Each structure stands twice: as C-alpha cells, then as structure tokens.
C-alpha cells in the first residue's frame, strides 16, 4: 500500500520526469522534496519581488503626499524618471515571466 502522504508524481513527458529525477538525485533528495523545494523557492521569490515593489510604491506615495501642493504636478525630469522606472519594471516582469 502506498503512503497516503506521498505526492502522486505523474509526468506526461518521460524526459521531463527523467530530468527532474536526475536533478533530485544530484541534489541528494527525493523527487517530492526537490519539486516542493523548487515550488517554495519560486513562491518566495515572487513574494520578495512583490514586497520590493510594494515598498517602492509606498515610498513614492509617501513622497507625493508629503510634497508641497505646488510640486504635485510633476516636472519633465520627474516624468522622465517615472517613465524609466516603469520601463525597468516592465523589463523585470518580462525577465521573470520567461
């Protein structure tokens, strides 16, 4: 009888299974542990990226609320910096999506 706590590891692609099995063996862990560890690493990387973006957003929002009313309308330099920051974020998103 199989262990009820064990993951059911079915792979439609035998090459994918073999690659994961080889990587797990090289790491010295079971396939289940290898897959769970990879999923955890990915999830925490996404969380870190979200929190970094959130902190940056909070900093920008705080600066905007602290600004004098006359400085609320951004100048050309600030608009250029914001556009560059937006491009950097979009490039990072494309890099993480790959």
């Amino acid at each position: 009888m199989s262990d009820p706590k064990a993951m059911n590891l079915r792979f439609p692609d035998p090459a994918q299974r073999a690659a994961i099995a080889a990587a797990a063996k090289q790491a010295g862990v079971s396939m289940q542990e290898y897959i769970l560890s990879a999923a955890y690493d990915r999830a925490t990387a996404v969380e870190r990226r979200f929190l970094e973006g959130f902190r940056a957003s909070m900093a920008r929002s705080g600066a905007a609320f602290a600004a004098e009313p006359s400085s609320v309308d951004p100048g050309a330099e600030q608009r250029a910096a914001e556009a560059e920051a937006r491009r950097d974020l979009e490039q990072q998103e494309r890099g993480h999506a790959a």
Side-chain angles (χ1 to χ4, degrees):
M1 188 168 145
S2 66
D3 183 357
K5 296 179 187 174
M7 287 177 21
N8 185 359
L9 299 175
R10 293 184 187 172
F11 295 90
D13 181 1
Q16 180 186 34
R17 180 182 177 84
I20 292 171
K25 184 176 181 179
Q26 184 177 13
V29 296
S30 70
M31 282 182 62
Q32 293 171 343
E33 188 174 352
Y34 184 82
I35 291 168
L36 289 172
S37 177
Y40 178 80
D41 290 345
R42 173 121 179 153
T44 54
V46 169
E47 177 188 33
R48 279 191 306 274
R49 181 159 160 38
F50 171 80
L51 290 174
E52 289 167 3
F54 180 72
R55 286 186 197 106
S57 174
M58 291 294 292
R60 286 190 303 272
S61 296
F65 284 113
E68 293 293 322
S70 62
S71 67
V72 172
D73 185 29
E77 185 177 318
Q78 184 175 347
R79 284 193 297 273
E82 290 171 353
E84 183 179 350
R86 189 175 305 115
R87 281 191 301 274
D88 289 346
L89 275 175
E90 289 169 353
Q91 287 176 346
Q92 289 175 1
E93 288 172 358
R94 284 192 293 268
H96 289 290

